[in-house]
Amino acid sequence: MSAGAVGYAKENAGRFLEELKTLLRIPSVSTTPEHKGDVEKAAEWVAAELRRIGMEHVEVIRAAEGHPLVYADWLKAAGKPTVLCYAHFDVQPPDPLDEWVSPPFEPTERNGNLYARGAVDDKGQLWSQVKALEALMKKDGKLPINVRVIYEGEEEVGGERIAAFVRDHPERLKADFALISDTEMFAPELPTLCVGLRGMIYTELEVRGAKTDLHSGMYGGAAPNPFVALAQIIAGLKDREGKISIPGFYDDVKAPSAEELAAWKKLPFDEEEYREKEVGASKLVGEKGYSAIERTWARPTLDVHGIVGGFIGAGAKTVIPAKATAKVSMRLVPDMTPEKSFRQYKEYVEKIKPEGVTVEVRLIHSGEAIVIGTDNPYVKAATKALKKVWGKDTVFIRSGGSIPIVGDFERFLKIPSVMMGFGLPDDGLHAPNEKFHIANFHRGIESLIEFFDEAGSL
Ligand code: BES
Ligand code: MN
Ligand code: MN
């Protein structure tokens, strides 16, 4: 029973944290080719640990391209439901490096937190799953539920491999529900289930002008400047009120239900405090008539992540660059689709581009938005487990972030997902000084033990 497993987790808490540090020392950045071997190393390490705790059929699954998946199962709980456990072992790049108080791949404890790239997103949460399984296995010699594990090494770059695997081998992931450990709690001490994620299209715009870089004195005034053109295109995508100008872009946006909106109003949230403490800007921006919560959870947005090219060294160089590139993404909400949104965007960019330049609009990756129903026994088991550990009723939230595979679990595996995560709003995902609150790591493990137990007795 869970009491024994929770006791085991408490006795071994120190070792669990040290093991997490070992995983965090592997710089498994999925987007940079230099780190390909490190993503591989993280996969091998996680697979070895799954084997060590007694999981079966552990396999590092590789495709011709991209990063590996890790699969494992334990299917000996006859007559019990099956859970599909999901998390990812790749991380975002750590830059800007000089803003880290301690180096991103040297996990460091400070005031109750563990600082490292990937601490909360998502290695710490992946590790809480593995440790919950270990505690149950070691204490009881078996699991209270059938378990399949699928971990991916390229969530942060769109998750193409796992999507293909789900499409091609649904039978290998056959389960009654999925457990996603890659989200946050709404506030400290407030048990939370995430029930909605935004989708996204991540694109690159490449603008070309002259056939080669040119002297800006000899040609300036006559030759088109791709950076100016790019700035004009970007400025045309969104108005000053934060409304996206792409024709038809909002056509399929489905408003949240009245109940959902009412529930969001009751959440402990102070927009002014969010502005000051979390965002740290002088003013929040966005569409008129929507709260910050609505803007980030239930409205599409468009952001620019970087502009590349031209002269960026110290000092001055008088050049008209031949090309300029920008990384532009849009977050989508139900019922928008990546295909239609990308088409609308591409056509609009081509239409508003100034004369004298060409623009190539490339799609890097995309994923669907999802809102999941809460009316199923697995969600009930989850709230029951959370109540046991945190002593409070669970709040249901959406998140503005994206986890592309969750929509596919519903579409291709036809199973509901329980998104139970233990990150905190100030954990700094994707930012310098990312952290995981150590108490949440341990209570996350306990919560998962209780959840496996509850779901197993359904
Ligand atoms: N774990 C995040 C998504 C997330 C963040 C969910 C906060 C809930 C709360 C995930 O690792 C992530 O960052 N996803 C990327 C997806 C993208 C690159 C396809 C994102 O949202 O930018
Ligand atoms: Mn994540
Ligand atoms: Mn992430």
Side-chain angles (χ1 to χ4, degrees):
M1 272 310 290
S2 63
V6 168
Y8 178 93
K10 288 201 161 114
E11 282 155 30
N12 290 278
R15 170 171 62 86
F16 288 0
L17 191 69
E18 289 310 310
E19 290 166 349
L20 171 57
K21 289 183 192 170
T22 304
L23 179 58
L24 288 168
R25 285 190 193 102
I26 307 173
S28 50
V29 180
S30 50
T31 203
T32 23
E34 308 89 272
H35 288 293
K36 189 156 175 39
D38 294 312
V39 183
E40 180 73 28
K41 221 167 120 187
E44 287 290 355
W45 190 83
V46 169
E49 288 294 307
L50 286 166
R51 248 174 238 127
R52 195 176 61 76
I53 66 165
M55 294 297 292
E56 302 183 332
H57 306 114
V58 180
E59 190 184 340
V60 176
I61 300 169
R62 297 181 184 84
E65 275 176 80
H67 301 297
L69 302 169
V70 174
Y71 173 87
D73 64 32
W74 191 94
L75 302 168
K76 295 172 170 170
K80 306 255 164 128
T82 302
V83 57
L84 175 63
C85 294
Y86 167 87
H88 62 93
F89 52 84
D90 64 318
V91 301
Q92 288 273 326
D95 58 275
L97 282 176
D98 53 0
E99 287 192 30
W100 285 80
V101 174
S102 48
F105 298 110
E106 290 173 27
T108 305
E109 290 181 45
R110 276 197 304 280
N111 37 35
N113 296 311
L114 182 62
Y115 289 85
R117 169 57 84 232
V120 68
D121 186 14
D122 186 32
K123 288 171 172 172
Q125 307 221 55
L126 179 151
W127 203 238
S128 15
Q129 285 189 354
V130 177
K131 294 299 101 174
L133 294 173
E134 173 184 333
L136 286 160
M137 198 84 99
K138 286 281 139 73
K139 215 56 209 177
D140 307 337
K142 59 184 169 66
L143 296 177
I145 185 168
N146 294 299
V147 176
R148 291 184 200 268
V149 169
I150 188 82
Y151 293 153
E152 68 166 317
E154 51 182 29
E155 191 276 343
E156 300 290 7
V157 289
E160 249 180 83
R161 248 53 51 180
I162 194 173
F165 191 78
V166 167
R167 233 185 299 112
D168 299 343
H169 306 284
E171 75 293 344
R172 289 199 60 189
L173 299 177
K174 196 172 168 354
D176 296 289
F177 69 101
L179 165 70
I180 316 291
S181 296
D182 191 22
T183 57
E184 309 179 297
M185 309 208 312
F186 188 74
E189 303 294 314
L190 192 58
T192 303
L193 291 181
C194 178
V195 299
L197 295 166
R198 287 197 286 190
M200 84 169 334
I201 48 180
Y202 198 110
T203 79
E204 214 164 52
L205 293 178
E206 186 175 296
V207 177
R208 284 179 179 268
K211 65 176 185 196
T212 178
D213 284 17
L214 297 170
H215 187 294
S216 69
M218 295 166 69
Y219 299 97
N225 185 310
F227 275 97
V228 174
L230 185 58
Q232 287 166 338
I233 293 170
I234 290 170
L237 293 172
K238 206 164 152 176
D239 72 15
R240 295 259 167 159
E241 253 84 63
K243 184 154 190 286
I244 296 162
S245 313
I246 302 166
F249 203 69
Y250 292 90
D251 282 359
D252 300 329
V253 172
K254 189 165 150 200
S257 69
E259 297 80 63
E260 217 179 348
L261 284 170
W264 295 352
K265 286 225 172 71
K266 291 206 199 98
L267 291 168
F269 184 73
D270 178 350
E271 221 168 273
E272 186 48 25
E273 192 181 312
Y274 166 81
R275 177 196 67 74
E276 199 184 323
K277 302 244 172 71
E278 270 188 64
V279 178
S282 59
K283 196 176 180 325
L284 293 175
V285 299
E287 286 179 281
K288 278 215 182 72
Y290 297 93
S291 67
I293 284 190
E294 287 171 84
R295 287 173 191 166
T296 54
W297 293 357
R299 299 292 296 170
T301 50
L302 181 147
D303 275 289
V304 180
H305 308 288
I307 295 185
V308 203
F311 178 67
I312 51 162
K317 177 185 180 189
T318 46
V319 65
I320 300 176
K323 71 168 190 176
T325 309
K327 313 256 184 199
V328 181
S329 85
M330 280 137 275
R331 298 275 170 176
L332 313 179
V333 299
D335 293 324
M336 301 169 84
T337 61
E339 296 72 28
K340 182 169 169 187
S341 303
F342 181 69
R343 195 175 354 103
Q344 292 170 328
Y345 162 75
K346 185 170 190 290
E347 278 169 16
Y348 182 63
V349 166
E350 281 158 0
K351 193 175 133 223
I352 65 171
K353 92 171 171 61
E355 289 184 329
V357 298
T358 59
V359 58
E360 195 183 316
V361 186
R362 292 189 286 255
L363 181 66
I364 298 192
H365 61 70
S366 66
E368 302 241 3
I370 181 152
V371 170
I372 52 188
T374 53
D375 191 18
N376 66 64
Y378 309 107
V379 166
K380 288 205 185 74
T383 57
K384 215 167 146 189
L386 288 169
K387 177 95 184 220
K388 241 178 157 173
V389 176
W390 301 82
K392 282 188 193 160
D393 287 335
T394 297
V395 295
F396 296 93
I397 68 164
R398 290 200 204 176
S399 167
S402 311
I403 309 173
I405 200 58
V406 178
D408 291 355
F409 284 165
E410 183 172 281
R411 270 187 302 280
F412 294 104
L413 304 180
K414 315 238 179 306
I415 54 173
S417 286
V418 173
M419 291 194 264
M420 184 194 286
F422 301 96
L424 290 178
D426 67 348
D427 277 348
L429 287 75
H430 297 197
N433 304 306
E434 176 182 350
K435 67 165 176 74
F436 195 7
H437 187 47
I438 294 169
N440 278 30
F441 169 61
H442 296 303
R443 288 171 92 186
I445 296 170
E446 281 175 46
S447 306
L448 292 170
I449 291 173
E450 300 292 357
F451 178 49
F452 289 137
D453 223 39
E454 286 293 341
S457 50
L458 285 171

